[in-house]
Amino acid sequence: MRNILEMARFELAAALRTKRALAIAVVYLVTSLFGMSSAITALGKMEDQLSDILQVERVEGKSGVVSAALWKSKPFQSLARGVVGDSLVYDDIVGKHPAELIYAWIVFMAVPFLSVLVACRRVADDVKSGAAKYALMRVSRLEWSLGKYVGQATLVLAGLLVGAFGAWAVAMFKLAGADVASMLPAMLAWSLKAWFLSLAWLGVALGISHSFSTGTKAQTVSMFALVAFSIAPYVVKLYADTAIGEKLQVLQRLFPSAIEDALWRSSLAPVAAGSVWLALLGLMWLSLGYLTFARRDVR
């Protein structure tokens, strides 16, 4: 464990030295700022059309009042229940501020792509440059691989937290209502949930990176895997009523996107179960890549 943490510290130090850590934080911040600002702008345009119908007074230059009133209306709640699909998820999100749910949607949409982008070249690039062979003189291959995983997970967590503060600042600036100021803890909580989702995708990307000697090949395969792994659970659901679909149901939980619904819950039990499962998925996909790496010549 000491060697794993030392490798993770070395990974973080290298990211800080090469300004890669700063780049990751900036990417997460810009994604949160742009996504939140665009969503609130669209929200404001929608409110312009709905304010007269709902007879709700708007705050000049601010959004959010009409949306909060709309979210509380029975017809809209019925429509939202049908869109969400999972009644348990709907029961947990109903009543939450629209901006909070907007941020949750943004971060869950962005995390798979950003996590894969952050990690997909790390092992392959180190093998190609020769950096791996020097590290492997002091630690075992397993310790080196797990250290890489822990280091990348720490970088992603920092990026997500920075993004949460940025999204909250945008909400404070562009939204009306005294309750906006109190949304920061909720946004940080959504970022933490998204971090557990990122653990699974980091495992996928690093596992693939263990099997290639060039970063370009690892990145290409990782992007194909991102698309395939995101679509696979929905394809299984599509054929759920068929004989082969029933047999494939067990495979559905091997893909990170199939577990995402658990993170939308508010109760501790489903969130904890989903988070642990995602962490285990990350380690599983990482291990599959490590099996190839353990037999490779990295000199």
Side-chain angles (χ1 to χ4, degrees), residues 115-116 119 142 145-146 148-150 152-153 195-210 229 253-257 259 273-291:
S115 299
V116 170
L142 180 59
S145 297
L146 290 175
K148 285 279 186 184
Y149 180 70
V150 173
Q152 296 306 308
W195 180 66
F196 281 100
L197 177 62
S198 77
L199 293 180
W201 288 108
L202 286 174
V204 172
L206 284 174
I208 292 172
S209 190
H210 275 72
F229 282 24
R253 297 186 66 81
L254 296 179
F255 304 104
S257 54
I259 318 298
S275 299
V276 170
W277 187 263
L278 287 166
L280 292 174
L281 274 183
L283 291 174
M284 183 199 76
W285 290 113
L286 177 67
S287 299
L288 291 177
Y290 172 77
L291 291 177

Side-chain angles (χ1 to χ4, degrees), residues 141-175:
R141 294 194 180 203
L142 180 59
E143 291 166 347
W144 186 77
S145 297
L146 290 175
K148 285 279 186 184
Y149 180 70
V150 173
Q152 296 306 308
T154 305
L155 288 172
V156 170
L157 178 60
L160 284 169
L161 295 179
V162 170
F165 278 100
W168 175 73
V170 171
M172 284 286 292
F173 179 73
K174 301 190 70 171
L175 289 177

Side-chain angles (χ1 to χ4, degrees), residues 52-211:
D52 293 335
I53 300 174
L54 296 175
Q55 296 183 348
V56 177
E57 183 180 354
R58 291 204 62 200
V59 179
E60 190 63 30
K62 298 280 187 175
S63 304
V65 175
V66 178
S67 300
L70 179 65
W71 185 241
K72 295 176 183 177
S73 66
K74 295 298 182 182
F76 185 80
Q77 288 182 3
S78 299
L79 176 64
R81 185 185 292 273
V83 172
V84 172
D86 190 329
S87 61
L88 294 175
V89 172
Y90 172 81
D91 291 340
D92 280 347
I93 67 173
V94 67
K96 294 185 182 295
H97 197 285
E100 178 187 334
L101 298 178
I102 287 172
Y103 175 70
W105 179 78
I106 291 170
V107 77
F108 283 138
M109 285 287 291
V111 153
F113 174 75
L114 294 179
S115 299
V116 170
L117 189 64
V118 163
C120 62
R121 302 176 64 102
R122 294 306 302 146
V123 175
D125 281 347
D126 278 4
V127 171
K128 183 178 180 181
S129 67
K133 67 180 180 180
Y134 293 107
L136 293 175
M137 294 174 65
R138 297 183 292 275
V139 297
S140 70
R141 294 194 180 203
L142 180 59
E143 291 166 347
W144 186 77
S145 297
L146 290 175
K148 285 279 186 184
Y149 180 70
V150 173
Q152 296 306 308
T154 305
L155 288 172
V156 170
L157 178 60
L160 284 169
L161 295 179
V162 170
F165 278 100
W168 175 73
V170 171
M172 284 286 292
F173 179 73
K174 301 190 70 171
L175 289 177
D179 54 343
V180 177
S182 62
M183 283 196 305
L184 180 58
M187 288 184 171
L188 291 173
W190 286 114
S191 291
L192 183 59
K193 290 180 179 180
W195 180 66
F196 281 100
L197 177 62
S198 77
L199 293 180
W201 288 108
L202 286 174
V204 172
L206 284 174
I208 292 172
S209 190
H210 275 72
S211 303

Side-chain angles (χ1 to χ4, degrees), residues 205-263:
L206 284 174
I208 292 172
S209 190
H210 275 72
S211 303
F212 294 91
S213 56
T214 63
T216 302
K217 292 180 180 178
Q219 184 173 354
T220 302
V221 176
S222 294
M223 289 303 169
F224 276 114
L226 172 64
V227 175
F229 282 24
S230 298
I231 295 175
Y234 299 101
V235 173
V236 173
K237 283 184 180 180
L238 189 63
Y239 294 97
D241 296 332
T242 64
I244 189 172
E246 293 179 357
K247 296 178 181 179
L248 291 176
Q249 285 293 323
V250 66
L251 299 178
Q252 187 176 5
R253 297 186 66 81
L254 296 179
F255 304 104
S257 54
I259 318 298
E260 189 176 318
D261 282 354
L263 301 179

